[in-house]
Amino acid sequence: MRKIAIALSKGGVGKTTTAVNLAAGLARQSRSVLLVDVDTQGQVSRALGCNPTTGLAEVVAGEATVEQAALLARDHLWLLGGGRSLAGLKRQITRKDFGGEQTLAEGLSGADSRYDFVILDTAPGWDALSINVLFYAEEVLAPVSLEVMTLQSLMEFRRSLESIQRYRQELALRYVLPTFFDRRVKKSGEILALLESHYPQQYCAPIRYSVRLSEAPGYGQAIFEYAPGSSGAQDYQALTERILNDGQA
Ligand SMILES: Nc1ncnc2c1ncn2[C@@H]1O[C@H](COP(=O)(O)OP(=O)(O)O)[C@@H](O)[C@H]1O
Ligand SMILES: [Mg+2]
């Protein structure tokens, strides 16, 4: 089983879009996927047109198993909802005297091996929940919108990641995914080249700017459902294949 966190401290870089469409892409290839929303905004559920009544908070509180709380959103795709109830979970974590950073990993340990992939969407910022995600996941995929500000966020995020890697050698920044790529914007191409040279192994083919990608969540659909012929569908399909080709599942 591969555990991939979609993370970067900056908001609006395409984390949720990537979590939803990568999970949908993997499920379309018949992999069992558990998509976990670790954001209090609950956007992952809406993007898939779902309205789960239980989710991650109930699992971590021990009120439900992953199996009971996860909703079958599509063939092979199970959703563990986030949303406002996560605020309580965050308080619970910060109240612990020790071991708080392991809370989510302990809660999700029952899910191990049942799924080929666990994909975790995270909130912007750096808080108790994001730290918990990084004590559970083994691979990090960082979406990087092609702006100078986002490059700075990536550097900061790497430093924060390193502080956790000291305790968890198995945690690796595996993928750097350029997003909002627009070849008409000169700066966009320059930043792309920079990312490719700095992250030769992690670098993924970019996700192009696509209006369809921004419309799909409003219809509760993954890009493969909403606009299967769009550049967004092509780009997320390429990402899916890249991650599958890296093996293990
Ligand atoms: N490649 C893209 N092209 C156009 N719009 C996009 C693209 N990726 C994401 N969006 C839109 O940009 C906004 C921010 O994306 P989102 O995935 O929610 O970012 P984050 O989760 O990092 O805050 C959303 O409205 C989303 O629909
Ligand atoms: Mg988001």
Side-chain angles (χ1 to χ4, degrees):
M1 191 181 68
R2 292 175 61 183
K3 301 181 270 190
I4 308 177
I6 314 299
L8 190 79
S9 318
K10 192 172 188 297
V13 295
K15 286 186 294 295
T16 300
T17 305
T18 299
V20 167
N21 290 303
L22 172 61
L26 292 166
R28 270 164 41 96
Q29 303 297 320
S30 305
R31 300 310 195 280
S32 311
V33 182
L34 178 66
L35 175 58
V36 187
D37 185 359
V38 198
D39 192 339
T40 50
Q41 294 182 60
Q43 280 174 348
V44 173
S45 301
R46 272 197 295 279
L48 286 169
C50 297
N51 193 6
T53 49
T54 54
L56 180 61
E58 285 73 21
V59 171
V60 174
E63 290 161 17
T65 62
V66 172
E67 213 172 15
Q68 288 165 341
L71 189 95
L72 183 63
R74 300 291 191 275
D75 285 349
H76 307 291
L77 174 56
W78 283 265
L79 168 70
L80 206 46
R84 277 198 303 269
S85 54
L86 289 180
L89 171 61
K90 191 157 43 172
R91 279 195 298 277
Q92 200 183 315
I93 292 168
T94 44
R95 268 204 308 265
K96 286 194 180 182
D97 289 334
F98 63 91
E101 70 279 359
Q102 305 276 4
T103 307
L104 184 137
E106 285 162 9
L108 288 180
S109 61
D112 284 15
S113 79
R114 201 171 306 149
Y115 304 95
D116 297 315
F117 288 90
V118 180
I119 307 288
L120 304 108
D121 183 32
T122 63
W126 183 262
D127 64 8
L129 282 176
S130 40
I131 293 169
N132 260 259
V133 168
L134 298 173
F135 270 84
Y136 171 72
E138 288 171 357
E139 304 176 48
V140 175
L141 184 159
V144 177
S145 60
L146 295 168
E147 301 157 321
V148 174
M149 289 278 281
T150 313
L151 280 185
Q152 286 162 1
S153 302
L154 177 62
M155 312 267 253
E156 280 165 33
F157 180 68
R158 279 198 54 192
R159 277 197 291 276
S160 306
L161 206 57
E162 276 163 22
S163 69
I164 291 183
Q165 283 168 321
R166 257 178 259 145
Y167 303 94
R168 282 197 84 223
Q169 271 99 35
E170 61 272 52
L171 179 68
L173 176 62
R174 276 299 287 290
Y175 302 103
V176 170
L177 175 69
T179 53
F180 295 87
F181 176 52
D182 183 346
R183 64 179 79 251
R184 291 166 304 183
V185 180
K186 184 159 166 271
K187 198 90 208 151
S188 190
E190 288 171 13
I191 297 176
L192 201 67
L194 208 70
L195 284 175
E196 192 169 10
S197 67
H198 278 69
Y199 298 91
Q201 265 135 37
Q202 291 95 335
Y203 179 85
C204 299
I207 306 293
R208 284 166 281 181
Y209 179 87
S210 156
V211 175
R212 295 279 174 269
L213 276 173
S214 60
E215 291 168 349
Y219 294 88
Q221 291 182 333
I223 193 64
F224 306 108
E225 300 161 327
Y226 178 67
S230 65
S231 65
Q234 287 166 20
D235 294 347
Y236 276 108
Q237 176 62 25
L239 178 68
T240 301
E241 283 164 19
R242 160 81 189 267
I243 287 178
L244 282 173
N245 285 339
D246 287 340
Q248 292 171 38

